[in-house]
Amino acid sequence: MAKKGILLVNLGTPDSPSVKDVRKYLREFLMDGRVIDIPFVSRWLLVNLIITTFRGPKSAKEYQKLWEDRGSPLKFYSEDLTAEVQKKLGNDYIVELGMRYQSPSIENGLRNLQAKGATQIKVIPLFPQYASATSGSVIEKVMDIVKCDQVIPKIDFEGPFYNHPKLLQTFVENARVWMKDHDYDHFLFSYHGLPERQIYKAKIDTCALGDCCNTCDAKNQYCYRAQCFETTHLLMKELSIPEDKVSTTFQSRLGKDPWIKPYTEDTLKELAGKGIKKVLAFSPAFVADCLETTLEVGETYKEEFIELGGERWDLVESLNVHPSWVDCVCDLAKN
């Protein structure tokens, strides 16, 4: 019988925390024209002569802190998610995993689906909010792989899904574990940042990167910043958190160009200056524990906040293989 193929795609991770493998990963990742959207020659010089040379050893040390017996959490949680989704969907579906950068590759996942008899394929980029540098890059890569095939199967792409009830439910259940035992002064939602120019290049004419992002509607539905604010609003509502106790911020800047604001590190200073002592942090742009969640938000920002006079900083865990998250992915697969 004909089977439906599901390709889950996450960002990717180095094959090991060695400097060599981290540099290899950074080269593939940052040479993507949707990630660093500057002319090729300038991008090549920046990535190969500056970023990988100087940032590679530093990033390798960070990955070494993160690495577990099974490897990178982002990879093994993605593998576990794939297995759980396959189990729940049953024999009518074939579920494969691909990483946009490094292994297992998107091409390997697509070829496995085709070899196993999938007559139609749904690609699910595991990024709740749409951005050209994430979901857009996955879509471009998939189309580039199949464009020369003699037989191209029916391919659909899913997302964004930042407002899916079961995605929200998972973050809410994880947060309530912390909120049950602690009384927090403030709740910070930190999302991965983007250069401002990438928002404008999406030709969202109404966007001014200000209060216009406080609502997400037909006019700005593909504005990454608006989707992030909407994610915060939905989680805030589900958790019954008052608006004056919430901040939406953006992290992980690279380079000197302006990125979407407010910046997470600046907000930490503002919160400490207001006498905020206890913060519960969220990373709703990520679906698995990784460098940007566990280390950047969970450790680096915690250290900075405590140094500024804060007393407590906790991080709500990523979705990983939470049962509600597995249900969410299954819904996306069957939608």
Side-chain angles (χ1 to χ4, degrees):
M1 292 180 62
K3 292 190 177 184
K4 299 175 182 177
I6 305 298
L7 181 64
L8 306 181
V9 184
N10 215 328
L11 187 73
T13 182
D15 292 330
S16 82
S18 70
V19 174
K20 177 183 176 181
D21 282 341
V22 170
R23 280 177 168 158
K24 179 182 176 184
Y25 168 72
L26 289 175
R27 286 191 190 97
E28 184 181 355
F29 174 34
L30 300 177
M31 280 303 296
D32 185 340
R34 286 180 178 266
V35 175
I36 299 184
D37 53 333
I38 60 177
F40 176 82
V41 173
S42 299
R43 184 168 67 251
W44 191 96
L45 293 171
L46 175 65
V47 171
N48 289 279
L49 300 186
I50 299 176
I51 296 178
T52 57
T53 299
F54 297 103
R55 188 171 175 177
K58 181 181 177 181
S59 294
K61 290 180 180 178
E62 295 297 293
Y63 276 107
Q64 287 162 17
K65 297 178 188 175
L66 187 74
W67 221 257
E68 299 187 21
D69 291 341
R70 293 182 62 194
S72 164
L74 183 141
K75 185 174 181 179
F76 66 70
Y77 279 129
S78 297
E79 292 170 340
D80 291 347
L81 176 68
T82 303
E84 289 299 314
V85 171
Q86 177 69 80
K87 187 188 305 181
K88 197 169 186 69
L89 289 177
N91 293 330
D92 290 339
Y93 290 82
I94 309 165
V95 186
E96 290 282 339
L97 173 66
M99 294 293 186
R100 176 60 187 87
Y101 312 104
Q102 299 296 283
S103 60
S105 67
I106 290 177
E107 182 166 13
N108 184 70
L110 286 171
R111 300 311 183 203
N112 284 346
L113 290 174
Q114 292 170 307
K116 293 175 182 178
T119 55
Q120 53 183 302
I121 295 172
K122 172 170 279 192
V123 179
I124 306 177
L126 296 174
F127 311 106
Q129 301 82 18
Y130 177 88
S132 172
T134 52
S135 300
S137 180
V138 169
I139 294 168
E140 180 181 58
K141 184 66 175 179
V142 169
M143 300 310 294
D144 188 56
I145 290 168
V146 303
K147 68 182 180 183
C148 294
D149 288 359
Q150 290 300 306
V151 178
I152 299 178
K154 181 180 186 294
I155 299 178
D156 293 316
F157 297 93
E158 186 64 37
F161 51 88
Y162 60 88
N163 54 359
H164 194 289
K166 290 177 181 176
L167 174 108
L168 300 172
Q169 178 186 342
T170 312
F171 277 118
V172 166
E173 289 181 10
N174 286 345
R176 282 178 176 156
V177 173
W178 291 99
M179 295 171 69
K180 175 173 62 72
D181 296 327
H182 304 287
D183 185 19
Y184 294 97
D185 303 324
H186 203 79
F187 301 84
L188 184 139
F189 295 79
S190 183
Y191 299 82
H192 201 288
L194 288 177
E196 289 183 354
R197 66 175 181 273
Q198 292 190 7
I199 301 292
Y200 292 127
K201 284 171 71 173
K203 297 183 178 178
I204 302 164
D205 298 331
T206 59
C207 188
L209 294 176
D211 292 342
C212 57
C213 294
N214 288 339
T215 57
C216 194
D217 52 33
K219 293 181 180 179
N220 66 351
Q221 62 181 314
Y222 283 103
C223 173
Y224 173 77
R225 189 172 185 270
Q227 290 177 24
C228 292
F229 274 92
E230 181 66 10
T231 307
T232 297
H233 293 156
L234 293 170
L235 289 171
M236 186 176 72
K237 181 179 178 181
E238 291 293 325
L239 289 165
S240 301
I241 304 172
E243 191 170 349
D244 61 352
K245 286 191 171 186
V246 172
S247 295
T248 297
T249 64
F250 300 90
Q251 65 186 78
S252 308
R253 279 184 291 166
L254 178 65
K256 297 181 180 180
D257 289 343
W259 282 44
I260 52 178
K261 301 177 183 66
Y263 300 140
T264 302
E265 56 265 37
D266 291 348
T267 302
L268 299 186
K269 299 173 184 176
E270 294 173 7
L271 294 177
K274 293 177 181 178
I276 300 296
K277 297 296 183 182
K278 300 177 183 179
V279 172
L280 182 62
F282 297 71
S283 293
F286 302 91
V287 299
D289 290 331
C290 59
L291 210 65
E292 290 82 359
T293 60
T294 305
L295 294 186
E296 188 170 12
V297 180
E299 293 188 12
T300 302
Y301 290 149
K302 178 179 182 178
E303 292 171 1
E304 292 178 7
F305 183 66
I306 299 301
E307 287 177 3
L308 289 165
E311 296 176 358
R312 185 175 192 94
W313 176 282
D314 294 316
L315 171 65
V316 175
E317 293 80 0
S318 289
L319 309 181
N320 296 328
V321 283
H322 191 291
S324 295
W325 168 228
V326 174
D327 288 343
C328 176
V329 177
C330 290
D331 282 354
L332 297 173
K334 294 186 291 186
N335 181 23

